[in-house]
Structures are given as structure tokens and as C-alpha cells.
């Protein structure tokens, strides 16, 4: 049972449009807060898009998702899970990047997540572009490679961009495998689609043992069957969940830098998360929400809803 200190503000008590917005209306508990030691799951903003190769704006994601997440209530409509009564969840605030220095930003982020790991806090990070995932893994997977369930239109497995640049949002998982942060044989990537530069990314991934599930296979088999396989690949061992909002069709999630048409709808976007329950999820992220391209705010609301699904899965009773 969660400590009442960590209860989110209810819309019955204060209208949801009022108050300072934190993720899910949770208390703001940065690492120097006296109650930080009691946090079990920390939601973190990573306002940084230094790895973006095309349309920018993901640095504005955390603030927009915080605002949209005030729409989220306490109980999961299908499973009945009440995440905030099961685990002490808090908004840990934002990690300050250095927008003028990519490597310094990576170092700042990695230090933050190393400290979280030492404090035994599971991170749920809101990006930011997908390069954000690399320093998260450098922090939490330093001792033991993790499995990965990855929702995305793209593999993000390229070797490099722009004549040797190794750190972009198209390369985080290549670096993570090279650095021994992920076990490639326990990685599954779901939703791959769109025009390609070439097959260098997929060739590397498949040679390393990564399971690639393209969108044609996703639709042919359906959510339940695909996610049953993803659970088998993750197994009982520690796993990380990385959710790029461009997994979802841009009709439902236009507010992102690298949209690809022909993707899952918002119902399927939520449904895949329900199959994460019972896995040993050590952390998760939701990345690539770009508010300047989110004309209706719908992308940010979908992102907040996916984050609630992930929290509900992480706090679900074990089967
Ligand atoms: Mn991505
Ligand atoms: Mn992507």
C-alpha cells in the first residue's frame, strides 16, 4: 500500500485544470527532497532534443505531457489497478540538459540515472528525443544487461549519422548493445515501418539476435499474439520498456519529429502496454513527443495515457 504522501491530487478535490501541473498530479519529489528515499517509481522529465536529426521540439515534451497528464485519473478502466495506491510514485522533476553540448548532456543524464539506481528508484522517463534512452541505460543497466521491449516505427540501430556522429536519436540501441547495456537476444522491436536509408540497421540488429516485428506482421497477428511473443523474449529476467510515440499512426499522434504513416491506432497503442504486466520492468520511457507539431494536444494526451498504462503494468499484481 502506498504512503498517502504520494497520492496524486484528485479531481474531486481540486479541478483538474487547477494547480501546478506535475506528472499525473503526483507530488514533486526531487532527489534532495526529504521523502525521496521512499520513492519507488519516479517520473522524470528529460527536456532535451540534442540527438534529433530532423524535425525538433521534443525538448518541450515533458512540460506538455505534464499538463496533459492532469487528465489522468486513479484507476485503470479494465484491470482495476490503482498504480498510485500500489507503489510510491512521484514526479522527480526535470534533468537539466546542456543544450549547447551533447556529450555533457549525456553525462548529466547518466549521472542522474546512476543515482536513481543506487536509490532503488525505478525510472519512468518522459522525453526528449530517443537518444535520451542511452544515458538512462548507462545509469540503470551498468551491472547487468537488460532485455528490451521497444515500440517504434524505427529500429534506432544505425551505426552513425553525418559522417561519423555516433550519438543521435537514430543510434541509441546500437551504442547500448555495443556497451553491453542490453542483451540483443532479449530485444524485441515492434511496429517497424516507413521508407529506409538502407538495411544497415536491421542487418546489424538481426545478426545480433534482435527480434524485429514489422508493422505488416503486427497487423497480421494482432496485439495479443505479438505481445505474447514479446513476453517470451523478455522472459522472467529484468527488462526495459522504451516507447517512441511515433510507433502510433500520425493520424493519432502527429506531434512527433519523424512520423510514419500506416501504424497502430490509439486503442492498440494502449493495448500493447497491458501485456507488460507481471514482467520484471526495471524502467521505462516515453519519447519523441514534439509539442510544436502537436496542434490539438492529442499527442501529449495519448502520451500521458500510455504512461498511465505502463505504470499500471509495472504495479499490477504478479500473476
Ligand atoms: Mn525512436
Ligand atoms: Mn521512431
Amino acid at each position: 500500500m502506498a504512503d498517502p504522501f504520494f497520492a496524486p491530487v484528485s479531481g474531486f478535490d481540486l479541478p483538474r485544470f487547477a494547480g501546478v501541473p506535475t506528472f499525473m498530479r503526483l507530488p514533486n519529489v526531487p532527489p534532495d527532497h526529504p521523502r525521496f528515499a521512499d520513492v519507488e517509481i519516479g517520473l522524470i522529465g528529460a527536456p532535451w532534443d540534442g540527438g534529433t536529426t530532423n524535425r525538433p521540439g521534443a525538448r518541450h515534451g515533458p512540460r506538455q505531457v505534464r499538463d496533459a497528464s492532469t487528465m489522468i485519473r486513479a484507476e485503470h478502466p479494465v484491470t482495476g489497478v490503482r498504480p498510485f495506491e500500489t507503489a510510491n510514485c512521484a514526479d522527480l522533476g526535470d534533468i537539466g540538459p546542456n543544450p549547447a553540448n551533447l556529450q555533457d548532456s549525456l553525462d548529466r543524464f547518466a549521472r542522474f540515472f546512476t543515482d536513481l539506481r543506487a536509490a532503488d528508484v525505478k525510472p519512468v522517463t518522459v522525453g526528449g528525443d530517443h537518444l535520451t534512452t542511452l544515458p538512462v541505460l548507462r545509469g540503470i543497466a551498468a551491472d547487468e544487461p537488460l532485455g528490451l521491449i521497444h515500440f517504434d516505427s524505427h529500429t534506432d540501430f544505425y551505426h552513425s549519422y553525418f559522417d561519423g556522429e555516433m550519438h543521435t536519436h537514430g543510434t541509441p540501441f546500437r551504442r547500448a548493445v555495443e556497451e553491453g547495456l542490453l542483451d540483443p537476444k532479449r530485444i524485441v522491436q515492434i511496429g517497424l515501418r516507413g521508407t529506409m536509408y538502407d538495411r544497415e540497421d536491421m542487418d546489424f540488429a538481426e545478426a545480433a539476435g534482435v527480434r524485429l516485428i514489422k508493422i505488416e506482421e503486427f497487423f497480421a497477428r494482432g496485439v495479443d499474439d505479438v505481445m505474447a511473443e514479446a513476453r517470451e523474449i523478455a522472459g522472467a529476467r529484468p527488462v526495459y520498456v522504451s516507447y517512441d510515440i511515433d510507433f502510433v499512426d500520425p493520424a493519432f499522434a502527429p506531434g512527433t519529429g519523424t512520423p510514419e504513416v500506416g501504424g497502430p491506432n490509439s486503442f492498440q497503442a494502449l493495448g500493447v502496454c497491458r501485456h507488460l504486466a507481471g514482467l520484471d520492468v526495471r524502467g521505462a520511457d516515453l519519447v519523441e513527443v514534439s509539442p510544436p507539431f502537436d496542434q490539438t494536444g492529442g499527442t501529449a494526451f495519448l502520451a500521458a495515457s500510455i504512461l498511465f498504462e505502463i505504470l499500471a503494468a509495472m504495479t499490477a499484481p504478479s500473476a
Side-chain angles (χ1 to χ4, degrees):
M1 200 65 184
D3 182 328
F5 171 83
F6 293 98
V9 176
S10 169
F12 283 154
D13 299 327
L14 181 70
R16 291 186 277 159
F17 51 83
V20 178
T22 57
F23 289 122
M24 313 283 169
R25 310 187 88 193
L26 288 162
N28 179 24
V29 184
D32 61 356
H33 190 282
R35 295 305 306 273
F36 176 74
D38 300 314
V39 176
E40 293 169 286
I41 298 175
L43 286 93
I44 302 131
W48 184 52
D49 52 19
T52 299
T53 57
N54 188 10
R55 306 194 305 178
R59 66 178 61 183
H60 303 294
R63 186 165 292 177
Q64 192 73 20
V65 173
R66 276 194 180 90
D67 192 9
S69 76
T70 62
M71 301 276 278
I72 301 298
R73 305 180 188 85
E75 180 168 316
H76 192 285
V78 178
T79 65
V81 169
R82 297 173 71 89
F84 312 118
E85 294 178 12
T86 308
N88 292 343
C89 302
D91 184 334
L92 307 187
D94 283 347
I95 319 167
N98 176 351
N101 187 319
L102 185 149
Q103 292 299 334
D104 183 40
S105 298
L106 288 173
D107 291 343
R108 290 173 187 221
F109 282 31
R111 280 197 297 275
F112 183 92
F113 290 100
T114 300
D115 291 347
L116 280 197
R117 171 104 166 77
D120 208 20
V121 176
K122 290 180 184 172
V124 175
T125 306
V126 181
D129 71 46
H130 220 152
L131 184 55
T132 303
T133 306
L134 179 61
V136 175
L137 295 173
R138 284 175 174 170
I140 70 168
D143 312 328
E144 181 189 9
L146 299 174
L148 174 72
I149 298 178
H150 175 198
F151 304 100
D152 204 323
S153 287
H154 315 100
T155 66
D156 298 346
F157 250 116
Y158 273 106
H159 174 269
S160 57
Y161 281 55
F162 313 129
D163 200 20
E165 177 50 62
M166 308 296 275
H167 298 101
T168 78
H169 67 162
T171 68
F173 299 109
R174 185 72 161 258
R175 298 291 91 77
V177 166
E178 290 170 352
E179 295 176 23
L181 305 171
L182 295 172
D183 174 0
K185 295 188 172 53
R186 290 204 303 127
I187 298 177
V188 55
Q189 301 190 305
I190 302 166
L192 306 174
R193 63 185 187 273
T195 56
M196 298 152 71
Y197 294 108
D198 55 36
R199 296 190 171 266
E200 196 271 340
D201 59 332
M202 291 191 178
D203 288 347
F204 172 88
E206 287 188 322
V210 174
R211 173 73 168 105
L212 306 177
I213 300 181
K214 295 181 183 175
I215 199 66
E216 289 75 18
E217 182 178 353
F218 178 87
F219 280 120
R221 293 172 60 190
V223 167
D224 293 354
D225 194 35
V226 164
M227 290 309 298
E229 183 185 352
R231 291 176 63 89
E232 264 178 44
I233 291 168
R237 291 159 61 201
V239 67
Y240 188 78
V241 175
S242 193
Y243 202 125
D244 185 329
I245 196 70
D246 74 30
F247 168 71
V248 189
D249 191 276
F252 301 90
T256 193
T258 318
E260 305 290 356
V261 296
N265 63 28
S266 52
F267 184 74
Q268 293 162 320
L270 302 178
V272 292
C273 300
R274 295 175 191 174
H275 293 271
L276 302 171
L279 297 175
D280 185 7
V281 177
R282 295 297 174 90
D285 59 51
L286 186 293
V287 296
E288 298 283 357
V289 173
S290 177
F293 294 99
D294 189 13
Q295 301 282 310
T296 66
T299 308
F301 179 56
L302 176 58
S305 304
I306 290 167
L307 285 163
F308 182 82
E309 291 282 352
I310 291 173
L311 287 170
M314 288 174 73
T315 55
S318 351

